[in-house]
Amino acid sequence: MIRPPALRPGSRVALVAPAGPLAEGAVDRAAERVRAWGWEPVPGDFCRGRCGFLSGTDDERAADLQAALRSPDNDAVWCLRGGYGTMRILDRIDWEPLAERPRPLIGFSDNTALHLALFRRGVVSFHGPHPATPELAEFSRRGMLRVLTRGEAAGVLPFPAGGPPRAGTLAGGVAEGPLVGGNLALLAALAGTPWALRARGAILFVEDVGEASYRVDRLLSQLLLSGALEGVAGVAVGAFSESPDEGKPEYPSAAEVVAERLGPLGVPIAAGFPFGHVDESWTLPLGVRARLDADAGTLELVEPAVRAPGDGE
């Protein structure tokens, strides 16, 4: 996998909105956050727009993302928010500029589509919080900086204080492989496309928001039936937040659905990792090797996600 250089003080960060529209003031809030972290924000020309449930027309959103990828001046591309619409522009994007001059591309949720496209090209990208979120927890900030600014392996990733100190074991064992995954709905939606998930030899990580138990079952079933999970090495389950079935004992939890549907794969599975649509969330680098210890409930990054100054690739 091609790793981008580490971000440094003064790095220029392109801000793009390839999915849903931003609320008033959200782009300015994101720019202020980028400056507070010691970087220089570069908002896209169309990131403040709106076209129904999208931040702009397909042409506008694709143009902003393509301009960020082609720019010789920026050092990272950070998606402002998720929502819906990123997969509508996948076939319009030329990824070669990012492969030729790697830079971190950061985002999650609907932006899982971009991560799968880059994983297919062998380029490391970052599943992490969006800068336009109203509140970004210190835990999330430290986690993002840990993987984006240090050319060393992050090691065993910490859990937020005050919560469980480890994930729960759904199927025991230890596995190692490159990380791949993201939002479960997007992983399923891209089945059968040129950007479809292929998890052979990898540690799959999944999260989602607002999904009922039966929908989680359906999404996992789609991945199983498509062959996307053939040869997967292990599964790390993040937050399945805001489920309409939460608190209803007659319905299984998302973790129980994962255990029932993916348990027959015979690979290590652990659930309850802090990533996804939650306040305190990890930043996970797709394509970077990780070690999942489902017995201990830990996830360890065993190699750097970025290159330190002077490192070759």
Side-chain angles (χ1 to χ4, degrees), residues 23-249:
E24 185 176 352
V27 176
D28 293 335
R29 178 171 60 242
E32 291 171 6
R33 180 167 285 137
V34 170
R35 290 191 193 95
W37 291 13
W39 305 327
E40 181 181 348
V42 186
D45 290 339
F46 301 106
C47 70
R48 300 174 190 270
R50 185 177 191 119
C51 182
F53 47 74
L54 304 169
S55 70
T57 66
D58 289 350
D59 286 344
E60 290 170 340
R61 289 178 292 112
D64 259 6
L65 179 56
Q66 193 66 71
L69 299 180
R70 287 179 176 158
S71 171
D73 300 320
N74 66 49
D75 303 296
V77 180
W78 199 353
C79 299
L80 286 158
R81 64 155 294 183
Y84 168 73
T86 305
M87 64 186 296
R88 288 177 53 138
I89 63 172
L90 280 179
D91 59 350
R92 299 167 179 249
I93 302 302
D94 175 14
W95 297 104
E96 195 59 31
L98 201 63
E100 292 177 351
R101 190 172 78 85
R103 285 147 288 162
L105 185 144
I106 313 155
F108 80 114
S109 192
D110 197 65
N111 297 302
T112 294
L114 305 180
H115 294 313
L116 289 188
L118 288 172
F119 188 83
R120 284 294 191 102
R121 293 298 303 267
V123 178
V124 169
S125 62
F126 298 82
H127 180 279
H130 296 132
T133 186
E135 300 292 336
L136 206 159
E138 178 62 17
F139 176 87
S140 302
R141 186 189 75 86
R142 289 198 308 267
M144 181 175 286
L145 294 178
R146 183 185 303 113
V147 297
L148 283 172
T149 65
R150 302 178 186 176
E152 58 190 35
V156 176
L157 299 179
F159 281 68
R166 48 156 288 170
T169 304
L170 300 183
V174 178
E176 187 172 318
L179 287 169
V180 68
N183 181 263
L184 179 59
L186 266 292
L187 298 176
L190 288 167
T193 74
W195 304 275
L197 170 70
R198 290 293 179 265
R200 181 173 295 278
I203 304 296
L204 172 69
F205 67 92
V206 293
E207 63 83 27
D208 218 317
V209 60
E211 297 287 8
S213 299
Y214 82 91
R215 288 178 57 86
V216 174
D217 187 294
R218 182 168 65 193
L219 296 168
L220 292 172
S221 296
Q222 184 171 357
L223 292 178
L224 288 166
L225 292 170
S226 73
L229 304 187
E230 291 179 1
V232 66
V235 182
V237 183
F240 277 73
S241 50
E242 301 178 24
S243 169
D245 296 336
E246 189 173 351
K248 298 178 180 179

